[in-house]
């Protein structure tokens, strides 16, 4: 433990599972107080219990403005502020575009883009008022830079997060609020485990081929990115002290996408 986030207060959405849970764990190890904000309150509570006394679970559907505002207010009331927001909650739905149900397109954009907007809107006034500045981190994807078949709303939303981060970087600068995007390659989490059989069926290839010939095909070494890789990047963005690093997006993908 090196206490890079000593006395910081963080809210991580979608932190009951996968990447968000690992980020919350690393932030707490580095001295932060961490709110595990998730749709699944029981899983969020289990994550908070395993992290320890510096973690609290809060119920939050990131698409619901009242729930977002209530959860952020609960964190402010308990800990007195918020210094770091990691907007990470996300799901995946795959279909060819011509078959994509409009309701599912809207659900994807609501979770990935409305969720980022609503949580940022709720946290920014507290970051601005504190005088300490803050760090807003969006969980993008290689799909913030690159496209894959069957993922129209995911790719559109993940590209959109980069635009949102650039605006927050400009608006937040005078308050020392930075905004950046992490763009991971494939990470073995429940979100990806669900996609393997779905893509196998949609593309008519074996599950092994989905992993080797679709997901990891363009990497430099055929390796999955890990939750630890992504959490280390999230720590770097959260701990970075100045506006020198803002409005950026960083790809962590075993070379799948190179800028
Ligand atoms: P995961 O399924 O393990 O965890 C996602 C969490 O988000 C779950 O705890 C779920 O309950 C929560 N969630 C879903 N909808 C929500 C909502 N409306 N409000 C609040 N919480 C909600 O997924 P993960 O792989 O850890 O993904 C986390 C983020 O990382 C997502 O934004 C995803 O797009 C992104 N990402 C994942 C990968 C990957 O390969 N796993 C790669 C690049 C980007």
């Amino acid at each position: 433990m090196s206490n890079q986030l000593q006395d910081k207060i963080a809210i991580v959405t979608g932190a009951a599972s996968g990447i968000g849970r690992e980020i919350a764990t690393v932030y707490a190890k580095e001295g932060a107080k961490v709110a595990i904000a998730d749709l699944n309150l029981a899983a969020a509570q289990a994550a908070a219990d395993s992290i320890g006394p510096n973690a609290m679970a809060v119920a939050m559907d990131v698409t619901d403005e009242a729930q977002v505002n209530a959860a952020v207010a609960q964190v402010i009331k308990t800990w007195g502020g918020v210094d770091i927001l990691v907007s990470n909650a996300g799901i995946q739905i795959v279909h060819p575009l011509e078959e994509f149900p409009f309701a599912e397109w809207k659900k994807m954009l609501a979770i990935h883009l409305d969720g980022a907007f609503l949580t940022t809107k709720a946290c920014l006034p507290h970051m601005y008022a504190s005088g300490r500045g803050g760090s807003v981190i969006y969980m993008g994807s290689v799909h913030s830079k690159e496209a894959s078949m069957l993922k129209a709303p995911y790719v559109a939303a993940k590209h959109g997060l980069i635009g949102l981060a650039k605006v927050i970087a400009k608006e937040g600068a005078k308050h020392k609020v930075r905004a950046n995007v992490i763009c991971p390659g494939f990470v073995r989490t429940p979100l990806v485990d669900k996609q393997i059989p779905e893509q196998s069926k949609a593309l008519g290839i074996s599950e092994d081929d989905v992993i080797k010939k679709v997901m990891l095909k363009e990497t430099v070494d055929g390796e999955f990115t890990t939750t630890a890789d992504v959490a280390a990047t999230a720590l770097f963005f959260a701990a970075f002290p100045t506006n020198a690093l803002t409005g950026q997006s960083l790809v962590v993908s075993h070379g799948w996408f190179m800028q």
Side-chain angles (χ1 to χ4, degrees), residues 91-93 95 97 100 104-114 116 139-165 181:
I91 63 165
Q92 180 62 277
I93 302 175
H95 297 291
L97 189 98
F100 226 109
E104 292 186 8
W105 163 273
K106 285 197 274 201
K107 181 176 181 188
M108 287 293 287
L109 266 56
I111 294 174
H112 291 274
L113 281 178
D114 297 0
M139 196 53 61
S141 162
V142 162
H143 288 112
S144 300
K145 310 270 181 179
E146 185 59 272
S148 291
M149 295 199 305
L150 312 176
K151 296 187 175 175
Y154 188 82
V155 171
K158 292 299 193 189
H159 276 66
L161 289 174
I162 292 184
L164 182 61
V181 185

Side-chain angles (χ1 to χ4, degrees), residues 13-21 37-40 43 60-63 87-91 111-112 139-142 154 158 182-192 195 227:
T13 72
S17 173
I19 291 170
R21 181 170 173 154
D38 206 286
L39 196 57
N40 183 340
M60 183 195 284
D61 176 348
V62 297
T63 69
S87 169
N88 164 81
I91 63 165
I111 294 174
H112 291 274
M139 196 53 61
S141 162
V142 162
Y154 188 82
K158 292 299 193 189
I182 303 173
C183 303
F186 280 103
V187 182
R188 271 320 272 269
T189 65
L191 179 140
V192 162
Q195 283 175 63
T227 57

Side-chain angles (χ1 to χ4, degrees), residues 76-201:
I76 303 293
K77 192 170 166 219
T78 310
W79 287 330
V82 57
D83 304 292
I84 302 158
L85 167 67
V86 184
S87 169
N88 164 81
I91 63 165
Q92 180 62 277
I93 302 175
V94 295
H95 297 291
L97 189 98
E98 71 278 14
E99 292 169 18
F100 226 109
F102 188 32
E104 292 186 8
W105 163 273
K106 285 197 274 201
K107 181 176 181 188
M108 287 293 287
L109 266 56
I111 294 174
H112 291 274
L113 281 178
D114 297 0
F117 165 74
L118 290 171
T119 51
T120 306
K121 188 177 175 193
C123 289
L124 277 185
H126 302 287
M127 292 180 179
Y128 289 174
S130 74
R132 296 193 300 268
S135 180
V136 176
I137 298 166
Y138 296 123
M139 196 53 61
S141 162
V142 162
H143 288 112
S144 300
K145 310 270 181 179
E146 185 59 272
S148 291
M149 295 199 305
L150 312 176
K151 296 187 175 175
Y154 188 82
V155 171
K158 292 299 193 189
H159 276 66
L161 289 174
I162 292 184
L164 182 61
K166 289 178 178 174
V167 175
I168 306 305
K170 292 202 169 189
E171 292 186 6
K174 62 178 177 292
H175 303 284
K176 295 186 286 177
V177 171
R178 304 170 301 283
N180 294 289
V181 185
I182 303 173
C183 303
F186 280 103
V187 182
R188 271 320 272 269
T189 65
L191 179 140
V192 162
D193 286 339
K194 176 173 167 282
Q195 283 175 63
I196 296 169
E198 286 174 0
Q199 292 220 17
S200 161
K201 201 171 152 215

